[in-house]
Amino acid sequence: MTTSTIAVAGMTCGGCANSVRAELKAVPGVVDVDIDLSNGTVTINSDAPLDEAAVKAAVEEAGYQLAS
């Protein structure tokens, strides 16, 4: 199991979190997604290291950007 944490800009509510969660869960290998709205972080559990481009694309598909 691999765990990675990313920062996502602009998530402010449960609906935002649900959109990001749904897109990330569609990425092959993702097992679970935990979102902390208070600090804008997303923790992704996967069964193998994830392709960063796929994670970025999923976040953008949900309408958000990775925070720098």
Side-chain angles (χ1 to χ4, degrees), residues 29-51:
V30 172
V31 176
D32 189 38
V33 177
D34 184 47
I35 297 177
D36 184 342
L37 286 174
S38 65
N39 62 20
T41 59
V42 179
T43 303
I44 306 165
N45 293 312
S46 57
D47 46 9
L50 295 173
D51 176 35

Side-chain angles (χ1 to χ4, degrees), residues 1-24:
M1 182 77 67
T2 301
T3 300
S4 54
T5 301
I6 59 172
V8 176
M11 291 188 305
T12 58
C13 66
C16 301
N18 287 339
S19 295
V20 171
R21 182 180 293 110
E23 292 297 334
L24 286 170

